[in-house]
Amino acid sequence: EVLLRVPGAILHLIDKEYSVELGCGDFSLIALRQGGNAVAVLARVADEAQWPLTKDGAAVKVDDSHYFFSLRALEKAKSGSDSSDDEGKKGGGASDDPLNYGLTFASKGQEGVFRELDAILEKYSAFSIQKVSRKARKAEALDATVAKETSPAELQSGGKKKEIMEDKCRAYWTTLAPNVEDYSGKTAKLIAAGSGQLIKGILWCGDVTVDRLNWGNEVMKKRMTPAEKAQINKKTLKRLERAKKMTRMTEKVATGVLSGVVRVSGFVTSSVANSSVGKKFFGGKLGQM
């Protein structure tokens, strides 16, 4: 069941050096139901990126055009793992290095839909509303005017306006990356300790350093050449691969639930994933739940 569809979205993997675009198109929230109950809720941008909404994953609204999501990306378990990367060797469980997704909307003409989006995120995730400091919002890299003044149709049509918005999105999330990572780290620790109700009390540092603002301006003005893209640092490349795994994993959940292979009575969370059955599932093998 499609709970909500919002056109005109651009998704980035947030990174301090250079945030990378993961997808562009409609943003959808999809509920997988069994017996009238939602057993999982997935977020999707076009057909390019997908992730689960869970109560141990943070969803944060910065303004009507910008949201970010923090995911404790699951590592493959030693048992049943066919992974040859470093994460697979660490064993099962959630990574201490969360994946942070930045979602930007071409929000012109869509002002009313975000109240509905907020209500769904509050129901199915650890949702909070934060703001960047007023002083920082005046900086070019964090100016949300382009997103607010661009409609989904203009983004879809391509051309110069789409290119400008893509550059602004990349600069925005690259500039905010240290703030997002700090907040996400604090949130993950509280949720892991069973203190999810305290999430709204976590201090969000809305101030951005001059160095970050300057770097954001540089990112905005310069597009990466193919040669530069090939030189993205190893940590960023590893996060990109984990983002791809997240999309594949949620597709397995969806396929498994809809085919009756996977049955769950709640949301797919780290506690489920750390169970013996969960480890087999997230290790790449569908199991009965």
Side-chain angles (χ1 to χ4, degrees), residues 6-258:
V6 186
I10 300 178
L11 183 71
H12 280 81
L13 178 65
I14 299 175
D15 186 83
K16 289 180 181 178
E17 292 300 317
Y18 205 93
S19 293
V20 182
E21 185 174 322
L22 297 177
C24 179
D26 288 357
F27 171 73
S28 304
L29 292 174
I30 301 163
L32 304 180
R33 295 191 181 278
Q34 288 181 346
N37 298 316
V39 296
V41 175
L42 308 179
R44 177 185 295 168
V45 174
D47 292 321
E48 299 173 80
Q50 185 170 264
W51 67 96
L53 290 185
T54 69
K55 283 295 185 178
D56 58 1
V60 178
K61 177 178 184 173
V62 184
D63 56 49
D64 275 353
S65 299
H66 298 93
Y67 292 71
F68 71 82
F69 299 82
S70 179
L71 313 172
R72 298 188 69 210
L74 294 162
E75 298 173 351
K76 289 195 174 183
K78 288 180 181 178
S79 174
S81 173
D82 58 0
S83 173
S84 60
D85 60 22
D86 292 338
E87 290 177 323
K89 297 174 183 176
K90 292 179 182 177
S95 171
D96 291 331
D97 180 23
L99 287 175
N100 293 309
Y101 291 170
L103 186 65
T104 308
F105 291 104
S107 53
K108 183 179 178 180
Q110 301 201 88
E111 292 77 11
V113 77
F114 297 109
R115 288 190 295 272
E116 189 176 355
L117 173 58
D118 295 351
I120 295 173
L121 293 178
E122 188 160 19
K123 183 175 182 180
Y124 294 110
S125 66
F127 179 66
S128 65
I129 299 175
Q130 307 292 343
K131 293 184 182 297
V132 177
S133 68
R134 185 176 299 179
K135 182 179 179 180
R137 288 201 302 270
K138 293 179 180 179
E140 189 177 5
L142 295 179
D143 183 3
T145 303
V146 171
K148 290 179 180 179
E149 295 181 351
T150 301
S151 69
E154 289 173 321
L155 183 65
Q156 185 177 6
S157 65
K160 189 66 176 178
K161 197 152 191 176
K162 180 176 186 287
E163 185 177 309
I164 291 172
M165 185 165 166
E166 287 178 328
D167 291 343
K168 292 285 289 187
C169 292
R170 186 169 56 251
Y172 184 95
W173 292 117
T174 303
T175 304
L176 271 191
N179 303 67
V180 171
E181 290 182 6
D182 179 63
Y183 183 84
S184 299
K186 291 175 182 176
T187 301
K189 289 178 182 178
L190 270 183
I191 292 176
S195 304
Q197 296 300 318
L198 301 178
I199 186 171
K200 293 182 180 179
I202 300 174
L203 179 63
W204 160 256
C205 180
D207 291 325
V208 182
T209 66
V210 174
D211 286 345
R212 288 310 299 177
L213 292 174
N214 289 339
W215 176 240
N217 288 335
E218 288 298 315
V219 169
M220 183 170 53
K221 294 173 183 176
K222 181 182 179 183
R223 288 204 152 206
M224 290 184 86
T225 66
E228 287 173 320
K229 287 180 180 179
Q231 296 175 11
I232 291 176
N233 68 63
K234 291 183 179 179
K235 192 170 183 179
T236 304
L237 287 173
K238 183 174 285 189
R239 284 178 175 171
L240 280 170
E241 181 55 37
R242 287 167 57 210
K244 291 177 183 177
K245 287 180 181 178
M246 180 67 72
T247 293
R248 292 196 296 267
M249 180 272 285
T250 52
E251 191 59 35
K252 285 182 180 180
V253 171
T255 302
V257 169
L258 295 176

